[in-house]
Amino acid sequence: MLLAIDTSTGTSVAVVDRDRATGELRCLAETGTDDTMRHAEVIGGFIRDALAQSGVDRRDLSGVAAGMGPGPFTGLRVGIAAAHAFALGIDRPFVPVVSHDAIAASRYAAGDTGPLLVVTDARRREFAVSEYDGLDRDGLPVRVGGPGLVPRDDVPAARGIRFDATVVSAGAIGVLAELAFAAGRLPLAADAPIYLRAPDVTPSAGKKVLR
């Protein structure tokens, strides 16, 4: 059973579990918003609400999964930091997931087949883009390109379906993490945010001290 968090676009929090009788993965509760500016203000309440709605005690969680992006610097780091802190607080593992991979997995689960282009708004008239080519034998999406950052007008034509996501479902993050765990494929991603763009603020060279 996982708590899952993604703030690569809006903010989404979910609790995901596998049905012990059928083996089916289920999203027990999910809450979120497509607001791209208030991640820090809402993340704590969404975690509280998702746990309350699912009826799950935090001590029963087996881990905390987080979308690692791609996404803008400020919003993305809020969700990752919250997931790390929660995992540390309950002494459970942190599970990083590429957010675009979760989008692709959910689209294939919904019935899409073949080549898929996943697109999210990176702001500043740019899009983050990843390309996929179906699922592998473990049911995990096969990424064949990206994530990459491109100007809005230069997004490549999709070989198959193009899907523009405004919110990355934390439920999809959790389901993909559970699939990877069952297949012995963890970790799915490095424990490092996928920013694609350098932060606006850079360290100064510092003042030269004369003696």
Side-chain angles (χ1 to χ4, degrees), residues 68-160:
M68 306 305 288
F73 180 80
T74 303
L76 187 58
R77 67 179 179 172
V78 169
I80 295 172
H84 265 295
F86 202 93
L88 181 64
I90 62 173
D91 192 24
R92 299 292 188 274
F94 173 81
V95 185
V97 176
V98 176
S99 301
H100 278 193
D101 290 358
I103 296 171
S106 66
R107 294 311 307 167
Y108 287 129
D112 290 346
T113 58
L116 172 68
L117 191 70
V118 171
V119 180
T120 53
D121 190 351
R123 305 180 197 170
R124 301 185 188 176
R125 301 184 63 80
E126 292 179 311
F127 281 146
V129 177
S130 297
E131 188 176 4
Y132 297 85
D133 194 11
L135 300 173
D136 64 19
R137 62 184 181 182
D138 294 320
L140 303 178
V142 178
R143 180 160 26 95
V144 295
L149 194 64
V150 297
R152 290 191 181 194
D153 296 336
D154 295 337
V155 175
R159 293 188 297 117

Side-chain angles (χ1 to χ4, degrees), residues 46-74:
F46 284 167
I47 292 173
R48 177 199 61 217
D49 293 346
L51 289 171
Q53 291 171 20
S54 66
V56 170
D57 188 283
R58 65 183 183 278
R59 292 167 293 189
D60 294 329
L61 295 168
S62 57
V64 183
M68 306 305 288
F73 180 80
T74 303

